[in-house]
Amino acid sequence: MSHNSFGHLFRVTTFGESHGPALGCVVDGCPPLLPVNVAEIQAYLDKRKPGQSKFTTQRREADEVKILSGTMEHDGVLVTTGTPIAMLIENTDQRSKDYSEIEAKYRPGHADYTYEAKYGLRDHRGGGRSSARETAARVAAGAIARKVIPGVSIRAALVQMGEIEMDRSRWDWNAVDENPFFCPDRDAAKEMETYLDGIRKSGSSIGAVIEVVADGVPAGWGAPIYGKLDADIAAAFMSINAVKGVEIGDGMAVARLTGEQNADEMRMGNDGKPVFLANHAGGILGGISTGQPVVARFAVKPTSSILTPRKSIDRAGNDVEVSTKGRHDPCVGIRAVPIGEAMMACVLADHYLRHRGQIG
Amino acid sequence: MSHNSFGHLFRVTTFGESHGPALGCVVDGCPPLLPVNVAEIQAYLDKRKPGQSKFTTQRREADEVKILSGTMEHDGVLVTTGTPIAMLIENTDQRSKDYSEIEAKYRPGHADYTYEAKYGLRDHRGGGRSSARETAARVAAGAIARKVIPGVSIRAALVQMGEIEMDRSRWDWNAVDENPFFCPDRDAAKEMETYLDGIRKSGSSIGAVIEVVADGVPAGWGAPIYGKLDADIAAAFMSINAVKGVEIGDGMAVARLTGEQNADEMRMGNDGKPVFLANHAGGILGGISTGQPVVARFAVKPTSSILTPRKSIDRAGNDVEVSTKGRHDPCVGIRAVPIGEAMMACVLADHYLRHRGQIG
Amino acid sequence: MSHNSFGHLFRVTTFGESHGPALGCVVDGCPPLLPVNVAEIQAYLDKRKPGQSKFTTQRREADEVKILSGTMEHDGVLVTTGTPIAMLIENTDQRSKDYSEIEAKYRPGHADYTYEAKYGLRDHRGGGRSSARETAARVAAGAIARKVIPGVSIRAALVQMGEIEMDRSRWDWNAVDENPFFCPDRDAAKEMETYLDGIRKSGSSIGAVIEVVADGVPAGWGAPIYGKLDADIAAAFMSINAVKGVEIGDGMAVARLTGEQNADEMRMGNDGKPVFLANHAGGILGGISTGQPVVARFAVKPTSSILTPRKSIDRAGNDVEVSTKGRHDPCVGIRAVPIGEAMMACVLADHYLRHRGQIG
Amino acid sequence: MSHNSFGHLFRVTTFGESHGPALGCVVDGCPPLLPVNVAEIQAYLDKRKPGQSKFTTQRREADEVKILSGTMEHDGVLVTTGTPIAMLIENTDQRSKDYSEIEAKYRPGHADYTYEAKYGLRDHRGGGRSSARETAARVAAGAIARKVIPGVSIRAALVQMGEIEMDRSRWDWNAVDENPFFCPDRDAAKEMETYLDGIRKSGSSIGAVIEVVADGVPAGWGAPIYGKLDADIAAAFMSINAVKGVEIGDGMAVARLTGEQNADEMRMGNDGKPVFLANHAGGILGGISTGQPVVARFAVKPTSSILTPRKSIDRAGNDVEVSTKGRHDPCVGIRAVPIGEAMMACVLADHYLRHRGQIG
């Protein structure tokens, strides 16, 4: 058991606080001889990095990744060796003084109170371990995970921000990288720009829904009961900061479906492979992949750090008002897009290795 | 790693198929000297048992639990000894002939195709390992788990069936045991009766949403990152047959909230304890319990086994029509109510022991 | 984490006490479509079974194994399905009254005192969970494990009993099944007969050393650091009742070797495969198999239950004398031979699947 | 499952190669509010550090530890926060050119061949991951582990080197730090000096036995079957580089004991606590601590890197001679003394937390 690890055969352990010297991860169990491209890992980190637009926190972090172990040059290419891959990201733009005011106050909606209730102390600087900075390490691990499952393509998009839901008929993956919200609907993205600007200026924040799609997953990954592919996706997504809901395929909406609507019918395709006529199941049945795209969503709550004063208490038991003046994301869901991809990649890499272990 | 276990310190391993001689579980890590009441375990099993009303499958199973190990008489009371508690439930009403027709056909929406894609064979009788009968073992384990956390009360209810959503202003826990749907809203339960009768008679099925509430959980259970209390609840619920969505607190709806709405404000209570003025967080912040009720929901899809013929394929690659004539639940969500309680109990028992291990 | 499980991908959980209704195991992660022969499993159990000669306890147990799950008929053969295999062995010859005298007394050298120190109570009947009866479940699991690694042959032998050490120049595997001690040296076996008869008649007991050899393990199984093949063998053997020492290859004697003596030299064989000129390493270097036979030993202490009164205390804190009159083995090491084989089989099956998972 | 982690509640993951930029560890599950003294951690590292005398490798490594996470100043003291503690040790004295000659050759007795058989490549520089440098990270983790179990004192000593066995009647813990061998017998230490000097000068190497003693462990730590305290000690010691044998208490010698000799008798002490009259069991019965000192030993084989040419093969399948000229330890067992202490500390910290989790 490990509080800070996930995965079994492809196992990621992360460490580090928002305002310590560094954060990072150790990826254990990665197969050997996979090519590692540091620039590629960096590109994923840059996508998650703060300060990319006015819609994310203005903290300036290079988020530069350094590989400490588990790789070597082999026939002129940097490859994995099969031993643990440790990756380090140094913190460079910590302004701890920004947080002195909240040292003894619990920010409502934040983990301040619960960390202190559990541990008897908390690292108040930037949220310490509860900071979303920890997810940089996950993104680095996700970049390695993608190498483990080369036939699988994993993409994510922001499909809802507050009251603005995208129109699925306008879904265009190419649009995702054209707007600062990773939204696949260009019209919705435009709306979001004005909408979020208003929220940002008022010092408020807003929630979002992210959808992650994995194409190319063959039928058969996963396992019954607690080794279910969807159970692991659910845990992985729910482990991301601020996530409160997880859906596979039709998700919560299955409650309204009849058996006829829900049963994804099958036919034999011309290539002799089964074809599904629908994908309400999101590519997973009985905890095992069907061969269809794996489709999952998660909802991210609004950033708790807002300008409007909220009622709270302090460590001494006094009633106080809390208003957060640090640098924060008006919609933390935006930066959750690459994180969702990374978590999906890690879960699939793990399940691929587990499947290969049991079945061969 | 174990495909069929959950939990770390309070660890449950289940085994058994729908139509084998027996199913059961092994509960490992249970503290010693806890009283065990077989009649009480049986009562939870009876709640989940098929054939309790016309709204659940007419398969007749006694679902009688036998304890094989891990308990002994001590000062006149049956107590746990700290060693693994094995519990056995024999299958008595297997009618395997009912399933011969679907031996080579894949039922749409069911795990038939994925099990066979993974393992190269499947136990087609009653769904084999993918049958909801496996959950009887979970309910037995959950009854033990409740003994580990005596101050905590765990209750669940069906809050939505198809288009019928309960009215939360009419929530009455006493109503739950008065209707065959475990619905806390008496008026909605009445509607459900007519509604589900229609579905049942037409050989169709319908989805549902279950809400589980744990009162009495102190602040501090859970842990950061992958040991998060909510991540484990998400995995536990998603591991239940037919579940496609999991929510904590406001769940997917947090996407629509502003930071002001979402931040559960706090004040000091008269008893010197913190009081939360709202519970959008569902009792969990940063993966750690807040001391408020833990509130979680999951959506169950409609039973895949329906009378209406659906397009599918068989093992030989032929296009076929599948219509299931076995005994099935028109709304499998109903029997998921005690299962949801059991999974919550297991997760909380595990987190309590983990917390006690790290913090003391 | 599980107190009563071992293995990761091939994972065995055992349960049951000496004098409860039954004991058994759940084998999780076994690959599908492996043939299962109940008579074969039974044959391994019979080898371990008490009452086979006057040199083992006279308790009469059928030790009949029943498979509850995880197998089905497929093309006329009973095969594994990939789901958990639960196996049950009922206790039939429990004479609990034999143990009433030691209910409140701690037998020196036995786990009585430590179980009670830990759990606050203990099942005194036949040692409860600490009884060697638990190992019957391991032997059943080992029989399944052998099917996972068909090219590997695992054999064990008793190589020392008290002062009698076998002569390795007389090692003959055929001799093992010809004497009640599983000794590969016929002359030593004859000596042991007289020797152990004396010990048995005097109500005493004696220790032993068991050697386990696995032929056919290819190079490459195992992993660095804590996934080391030898670390897992060490844990597996040390987990057997009464074991106090474990050796790989030359074992404790390596302390006396020089680097020249210890380095197993290599040459290319005529078949283009590396040939080792010695096997001081016992087939494992750096935690990974070399392709040579894996050779490991363990020492079993004498049975603690002896007729000679020994000084001890009771639960109330009184000084007492303890003399055990129940039915016991004069040399519990004899029955440890099939157990050692079973543990080696489980470790190798697990490492084979782990290797296949990471490397393919 | 993790190849490079050990422990469950107190869980250590190590990473790093001999000649990469750095090595280190992540300690997960450490209780909060324990004082951390970097100088103290450094002192343990210095004890293990190469180049301390002419009897260890002349590689010059500062082995300076940096804490990256999991600690903070609290009331003026550096304490643990309950989050993962990452520690980093940079490699500074790598002379990779020393190893170019053995890039394609397999050193007999070393892990060269097995790593390459497993992974298809190996980091040949300094043994890569199989280098004993990895153990520096374990020593750092062990220093944290000691803080978790403050009442327990863990000490180790070298009790045998080649043919020289210490005289136990001369055991003096104070002597251990007075000689470069950590030997508790001053006379034996003097002999070892001449003995090892001869071995060193001839370019040879020699094995050793280390004994680790933990005083102050209360009765009750550990658990049955696979959670046995001794099984975990066995795995921990066997996971140390070059270890081939592990003993608890009397170890392999129990094979020669009778039941009368082996049964550690008990009497009530004047303070109302049980007193054991002997400790053949090494402080562990049934996998659970007895309250006596926990005593364990392990044998370390001689360093494989020796000057005398040995027969081997190369990657291309040619017969070659191998002679290692890099800087090496003539008796690697010496530096295993602090490593043995560290592993014992980690196992005990883990079992303490596990015990507290299950029992309270």
Side-chain angles (χ1 to χ4, degrees):
Chain A
M1 193 197 81
S2 185
H3 308 296
N4 292 279
S5 300
F6 51 95
H8 295 270
L9 290 198
F10 185 87
R11 187 169 180 87
V12 179
T13 301
T14 74
F15 60 87
E17 277 80 39
S18 173
H19 285 58
L23 55 89
C25 65
V26 182
V27 178
D28 195 9
C30 186
L33 292 169
L34 302 176
V36 172
N37 186 328
V38 180
E40 211 175 276
I41 303 174
Q42 193 60 53
Y44 287 114
L45 281 165
D46 290 348
K47 205 171 158 183
R48 193 214 69 95
K49 200 164 74 168
Q52 296 303 86
S53 78
K54 63 182 173 185
F55 299 112
T56 58
T57 169
Q58 295 306 299
R59 177 170 174 169
R60 293 269 162 204
E61 284 289 353
D63 272 1
E64 201 181 316
V65 67
K66 253 189 265 185
I67 299 183
L68 299 182
S69 65
T71 61
M72 73 177 294
E73 292 281 330
H74 182 74
D75 297 341
V77 181
L78 191 71
V79 298
T80 58
T81 60
T83 61
I85 303 164
M87 292 186 280
L88 200 74
I89 297 160
E90 286 175 33
N91 289 321
T92 54
D93 185 26
Q94 312 118 296
R95 302 194 198 156
S96 296
K97 62 178 187 303
D98 284 4
Y99 296 94
S100 55
E101 201 210 303
I102 54 137
E103 181 173 353
K105 291 179 185 175
Y106 306 127
R107 287 166 295 171
H110 213 286
D112 294 345
Y113 173 70
T114 56
Y115 265 65
E116 207 154 311
K118 181 174 196 76
Y119 297 115
L121 84 168
R122 77 176 204 278
D123 190 341
H124 65 282
R125 298 161 301 172
R129 183 71 180 145
S130 74
S131 163
R133 268 200 73 61
E134 181 270 343
T135 57
R138 303 189 190 204
V139 170
I144 302 289
R146 287 175 193 259
K147 296 297 182 184
V148 176
I149 43 170
V152 177
S153 145
I154 298 163
R155 294 178 292 188
L158 185 148
V159 297
Q160 184 185 347
M161 178 190 287
E163 299 294 334
I164 307 173
E165 286 187 67
M166 70 167 291
D167 179 340
R168 284 178 172 263
S169 71
R170 288 199 295 254
W171 189 300
D172 179 356
W173 280 113
N174 294 321
V176 165
D177 290 327
E178 294 171 6
N179 63 75
F181 314 109
F182 304 116
C183 181
D185 170 354
R186 286 181 184 84
D187 294 359
K190 225 164 264 171
E191 275 187 79
M192 288 173 185
E193 192 144 359
T194 322
Y195 179 71
L196 193 58
D197 218 30
I199 286 168
R200 185 179 65 82
K201 284 177 180 156
S202 70
S204 183
S205 63
I206 194 73
V209 175
I210 315 305
E211 183 161 319
V212 187
V213 180
D215 289 290
V217 177
W221 293 5
I225 313 311
Y226 214 63
K228 280 180 170 162
L229 181 55
D230 37 2
D232 279 354
I233 292 171
F237 284 175
M238 200 64 95
S239 80
I240 300 172
N241 311 48
V243 171
K244 302 303 279 188
V246 177
E247 300 188 314
I248 308 290
D250 281 9
M252 298 304 291
V254 295
R256 294 178 193 280
L257 298 182
T258 63
E260 287 76 11
Q261 293 165 325
N262 178 66
D264 300 328
E265 294 185 298
M266 301 174 80
R267 277 292 175 244
M268 283 307 294
N270 293 332
D271 60 352
K273 282 190 186 163
V275 175
F276 286 87
L277 310 182
N279 191 12
H280 295 281
I284 304 175
L285 286 171
I288 300 172
S289 59
T290 63
Q292 289 193 283
V294 172
V295 181
R297 271 177 310 284
F298 58 91
V300 182
K301 67 180 188 182
T303 319
S304 323
S305 306
I306 48 176
L307 268 179
T308 319
R310 309 301 295 162
K311 294 177 191 153
S312 190
I313 59 172
D314 66 13
R315 193 176 291 144
N318 303 306
D319 285 352
V320 296
E321 306 294 294
V322 177
S323 152
T324 318
K325 295 184 196 77
R327 301 154 296 171
H328 296 286
D329 293 280
C331 176
V332 77
I334 298 171
R335 288 169 58 210
V337 172
I339 303 165
E341 289 182 356
M343 295 309 291
M344 178 65 89
C346 288
V347 171
L348 289 174
D350 188 35
H351 273 273
Y352 167 55
L353 299 185
R354 286 156 73 172
H355 179 77
R356 191 162 72 172
Q358 191 183 7
I359 309 296
Chain B
M1 192 196 81
S2 185
H3 309 295
N4 292 279
S5 300
F6 52 94
H8 294 270
L9 290 198
F10 185 88
R11 186 169 180 88
V12 179
T13 302
T14 74
F15 61 87
E17 277 79 41
S18 174
H19 284 58
L23 53 89
C25 65
V26 182
V27 178
D28 195 8
C30 186
L33 291 168
L34 302 176
V36 173
N37 186 330
V38 180
E40 213 175 275
I41 303 174
Q42 193 60 53
Y44 288 114
L45 281 166
D46 290 348
K47 205 169 159 187
R48 192 215 69 97
K49 199 165 72 169
Q52 296 302 85
S53 78
K54 62 182 174 183
F55 301 111
T56 57
T57 169
Q58 294 307 298
R59 177 171 174 169
R60 293 273 162 201
E61 284 289 354
D63 273 1
E64 201 181 313
V65 68
K66 253 189 267 185
I67 299 183
L68 297 181
S69 66
T71 61
M72 74 178 295
E73 291 282 330
H74 182 74
D75 298 341
V77 180
L78 190 71
V79 298
T80 58
T81 60
T83 61
I85 303 165
M87 292 187 280
L88 200 72
I89 297 160
E90 289 177 30
N91 289 321
T92 55
D93 186 25
Q94 312 117 298
R95 301 191 199 161
S96 297
K97 61 178 186 306
D98 285 4
Y99 296 95
S100 55
E101 201 211 304
I102 53 135
E103 182 173 351
K105 291 180 185 173
Y106 306 127
R107 287 167 295 172
H110 213 285
D112 294 344
Y113 173 68
T114 56
Y115 265 64
E116 208 155 311
K118 181 173 196 79
Y119 298 115
L121 85 170
R122 77 177 205 277
D123 190 340
H124 65 282
R125 298 161 302 173
R129 182 72 179 147
S130 74
S131 163
R133 268 200 73 61
E134 181 270 343
T135 58
R138 305 189 189 202
V139 170
I144 302 289
R146 287 175 193 260
K147 296 296 181 185
V148 176
I149 42 171
V152 177
S153 146
I154 297 163
R155 293 176 293 188
L158 185 149
V159 297
Q160 183 185 346
M161 178 191 289
E163 298 295 335
I164 306 172
E165 286 187 67
M166 70 166 292
D167 179 341
R168 285 178 172 264
S169 71
R170 289 199 295 255
W171 190 299
D172 180 354
W173 280 111
N174 293 322
V176 165
D177 290 326
E178 294 170 6
N179 63 75
F181 313 110
F182 304 117
C183 181
D185 169 355
R186 286 182 184 84
D187 295 358
K190 226 164 263 173
E191 274 185 80
M192 288 173 186
E193 191 143 0
T194 321
Y195 179 71
L196 193 57
D197 218 31
I199 287 167
R200 184 180 66 82
K201 284 177 181 157
S202 69
S204 182
S205 63
I206 194 73
V209 175
I210 315 305
E211 183 161 318
V212 188
V213 181
D215 290 288
V217 177
W221 293 5
I225 313 310
Y226 213 65
K228 280 181 170 162
L229 182 55
D230 37 2
D232 279 353
I233 292 171
F237 284 176
M238 199 64 96
S239 80
I240 300 172
N241 311 51
V243 171
K244 302 303 281 186
V246 177
E247 301 188 314
I248 307 290
D250 281 8
M252 297 304 292
V254 296
R256 293 179 194 280
L257 297 182
T258 63
E260 287 75 10
Q261 294 166 325
N262 178 67
D264 298 328
E265 294 185 299
M266 300 173 80
R267 276 291 177 247
M268 282 308 292
N270 294 331
D271 59 352
K273 282 189 187 165
V275 175
F276 286 88
L277 310 183
N279 191 13
H280 296 281
I284 303 175
L285 285 172
I288 300 172
S289 60
T290 63
Q292 290 193 283
V294 173
V295 181
R297 269 177 311 284
F298 59 91
V300 182
K301 67 181 188 182
T303 319
S304 323
S305 306
I306 48 176
L307 267 179
T308 318
R310 308 303 293 164
K311 294 177 192 156
S312 189
I313 59 172
D314 66 13
R315 194 177 290 145
N318 303 306
D319 286 353
V320 296
E321 307 294 292
V322 177
S323 153
T324 320
K325 295 187 195 77
R327 301 155 296 171
H328 296 287
D329 293 279
C331 177
V332 77
I334 298 170
R335 289 168 58 208
V337 172
I339 303 166
E341 288 182 358
M343 294 310 292
M344 178 66 89
C346 289
V347 171
L348 289 174
D350 188 36
H351 273 274
Y352 167 56
L353 299 185
R354 286 155 75 172
H355 179 78
R356 191 162 72 173
Q358 190 182 7
I359 309 297
Chain C
M1 195 198 78
S2 184
H3 309 294
N4 292 278
S5 300
F6 52 94
H8 295 270
L9 290 198
F10 185 87
R11 186 170 179 87
V12 178
T13 301
T14 74
F15 61 86
E17 276 81 39
S18 173
H19 285 59
L23 55 89
C25 66
V26 182
V27 178
D28 195 9
C30 186
L33 292 168
L34 302 176
V36 173
N37 186 329
V38 180
E40 212 176 276
I41 303 174
Q42 192 61 52
Y44 287 114
L45 280 165
D46 290 349
K47 205 171 159 184
R48 192 215 69 97
K49 199 164 75 169
Q52 296 302 85
S53 78
K54 62 181 172 184
F55 300 112
T56 57
T57 169
Q58 295 307 300
R59 176 170 175 172
R60 294 271 164 201
E61 284 289 354
D63 273 1
E64 202 181 314
V65 67
K66 252 189 268 182
I67 299 183
L68 299 181
S69 65
T71 61
M72 74 177 295
E73 291 281 330
H74 182 75
D75 296 342
V77 181
L78 191 71
V79 298
T80 58
T81 61
T83 62
I85 303 164
M87 292 186 281
L88 199 73
I89 297 160
E90 287 176 32
N91 289 321
T92 55
D93 185 25
Q94 312 118 294
R95 301 193 199 157
S96 296
K97 62 178 183 311
D98 285 5
Y99 296 95
S100 54
E101 202 209 304
I102 53 137
E103 181 172 353
K105 291 179 184 174
Y106 306 127
R107 287 167 296 172
H110 213 286
D112 294 344
Y113 173 69
T114 56
Y115 265 65
E116 207 155 312
K118 181 173 196 78
Y119 298 116
L121 85 168
R122 78 177 205 277
D123 190 341
H124 66 282
R125 297 161 302 172
R129 182 72 180 146
S130 74
S131 163
R133 267 199 75 60
E134 181 271 342
T135 58
R138 304 188 190 203
V139 170
I144 302 290
R146 287 176 194 259
K147 296 296 182 185
V148 176
I149 42 171
V152 177
S153 147
I154 297 163
R155 293 178 294 188
L158 185 147
V159 297
Q160 183 184 346
M161 178 190 288
E163 299 295 335
I164 308 173
E165 286 187 66
M166 70 167 290
D167 178 342
R168 284 176 172 264
S169 71
R170 289 198 294 254
W171 190 299
D172 179 355
W173 280 112
N174 294 320
V176 165
D177 290 327
E178 295 171 5
N179 63 75
F181 313 110
F182 304 115
C183 180
D185 170 355
R186 286 183 184 84
D187 296 357
K190 227 164 263 174
E191 275 185 79
M192 287 173 187
E193 192 145 358
T194 321
Y195 179 71
L196 193 57
D197 217 31
I199 286 167
R200 184 179 66 83
K201 283 177 181 159
S202 70
S204 183
S205 62
I206 194 73
V209 175
I210 315 305
E211 183 162 319
V212 188
V213 181
D215 289 289
V217 176
W221 293 5
I225 314 310
Y226 213 64
K228 280 182 170 161
L229 181 54
D230 37 3
D232 279 354
I233 291 171
F237 284 175
M238 199 65 94
S239 80
I240 299 172
N241 311 52
V243 171
K244 303 303 281 188
V246 177
E247 301 188 315
I248 307 291
D250 281 7
M252 298 304 292
V254 295
R256 294 178 193 279
L257 297 183
T258 63
E260 288 76 10
Q261 294 165 324
N262 178 68
D264 299 329
E265 295 185 299
M266 300 174 80
R267 277 293 175 244
M268 283 308 292
N270 293 332
D271 60 351
K273 281 188 188 165
V275 174
F276 286 87
L277 310 183
N279 191 12
H280 295 281
I284 304 175
L285 286 171
I288 300 173
S289 59
T290 63
Q292 290 194 284
V294 172
V295 181
R297 269 177 310 285
F298 58 91
V300 181
K301 67 180 189 184
T303 320
S304 322
S305 306
I306 48 175
L307 267 179
T308 317
R310 308 303 293 163
K311 294 178 191 153
S312 188
I313 58 172
D314 66 12
R315 193 177 291 144
N318 304 306
D319 285 352
V320 296
E321 306 295 292
V322 177
S323 153
T324 320
K325 294 184 197 79
R327 301 154 296 170
H328 296 287
D329 292 280
C331 175
V332 77
I334 298 170
R335 289 168 58 208
V337 172
I339 303 165
E341 289 182 356
M343 295 309 293
M344 178 65 90
C346 289
V347 170
L348 288 174
D350 188 35
H351 274 274
Y352 167 55
L353 299 185
R354 286 155 74 171
H355 178 78
R356 190 161 73 173
Q358 192 183 6
I359 309 296
Chain D
M1 194 197 80
S2 185
H3 309 295
N4 292 279
S5 300
F6 52 94
H8 294 270
L9 289 198
F10 184 88
R11 187 170 179 87
V12 178
T13 301
T14 74
F15 61 87
E17 276 81 39
S18 174
H19 284 58
L23 54 90
C25 65
V26 182
V27 178
D28 195 9
C30 186
L33 292 168
L34 302 176
V36 173
N37 185 329
V38 180
E40 211 175 276
I41 304 173
Q42 193 61 52
Y44 287 113
L45 280 165
D46 290 349
K47 206 171 159 184
R48 193 214 69 97
K49 199 165 74 169
Q52 295 303 86
S53 78
K54 63 182 172 182
F55 300 112
T56 57
T57 170
Q58 295 306 301
R59 177 171 174 168
R60 293 271 163 203
E61 283 289 355
D63 273 2
E64 200 182 315
V65 67
K66 252 189 268 186
I67 299 182
L68 299 181
S69 65
T71 61
M72 75 178 293
E73 291 282 331
H74 182 73
D75 297 341
V77 180
L78 190 70
V79 298
T80 58
T81 60
T83 61
I85 304 165
M87 293 186 281
L88 200 73
I89 297 160
E90 287 177 31
N91 289 321
T92 54
D93 185 26
Q94 311 119 295
R95 303 194 198 158
S96 297
K97 61 178 186 310
D98 284 3
Y99 295 94
S100 54
E101 200 209 306
I102 54 136
E103 181 171 356
K105 290 179 185 174
Y106 306 127
R107 286 167 295 171
H110 212 286
D112 294 345
Y113 173 68
T114 56
Y115 265 65
E116 206 153 312
K118 181 172 196 81
Y119 298 116
L121 84 170
R122 77 175 205 276
D123 190 340
H124 65 282
R125 298 161 301 173
R129 183 70 180 147
S130 74
S131 163
R133 268 199 73 61
E134 181 270 342
T135 58
R138 303 188 190 203
V139 170
I144 302 289
R146 288 175 193 260
K147 296 296 182 187
V148 176
I149 43 171
V152 176
S153 146
I154 297 163
R155 294 177 294 187
L158 185 146
V159 297
Q160 183 185 346
M161 177 191 287
E163 298 295 335
I164 307 172
E165 286 187 67
M166 70 166 290
D167 179 340
R168 286 181 170 261
S169 71
R170 289 199 294 256
W171 190 300
D172 181 355
W173 280 112
N174 293 322
V176 165
D177 291 326
E178 294 171 6
N179 63 75
F181 314 109
F182 305 117
C183 181
D185 170 355
R186 287 182 184 85
D187 295 358
K190 225 163 264 174
E191 275 185 79
M192 288 173 186
E193 191 143 0
T194 320
Y195 179 72
L196 193 57
D197 218 30
I199 287 168
R200 184 180 66 83
K201 283 176 181 158
S202 69
S204 182
S205 63
I206 194 73
V209 175
I210 315 305
E211 184 161 318
V212 187
V213 180
D215 288 290
V217 177
W221 293 6
I225 314 310
Y226 213 65
K228 280 181 170 163
L229 182 54
D230 37 2
D232 279 354
I233 292 171
F237 285 176
M238 200 64 94
S239 80
I240 300 172
N241 310 51
V243 171
K244 301 303 278 187
V246 177
E247 300 188 314
I248 307 291
D250 281 7
M252 297 305 291
V254 295
R256 294 178 193 280
L257 298 183
T258 63
E260 288 75 11
Q261 293 166 325
N262 178 66
D264 300 327
E265 294 186 299
M266 301 174 80
R267 276 291 176 245
M268 283 308 295
N270 294 331
D271 60 352
K273 282 189 187 165
V275 174
F276 286 87
L277 310 183
N279 191 12
H280 296 280
I284 303 175
L285 285 172
I288 300 172
S289 59
T290 62
Q292 289 192 281
V294 173
V295 181
R297 270 177 310 286
F298 58 91
V300 181
K301 66 181 188 182
T303 319
S304 322
S305 306
I306 47 175
L307 267 179
T308 318
R310 308 304 292 162
K311 294 177 192 155
S312 189
I313 59 172
D314 66 12
R315 194 177 290 145
N318 303 306
D319 285 351
V320 296
E321 307 293 292
V322 177
S323 153
T324 319
K325 296 187 196 76
R327 301 155 295 172
H328 296 288
D329 292 278
C331 176
V332 76
I334 298 170
R335 290 168 57 208
V337 171
I339 303 166
E341 288 182 357
M343 294 310 291
M344 178 66 89
C346 288
V347 170
L348 289 174
D350 188 35
H351 273 273
Y352 167 55
L353 299 185
R354 286 155 75 173
H355 179 78
R356 191 162 71 172
Q358 191 183 8
I359 309 297

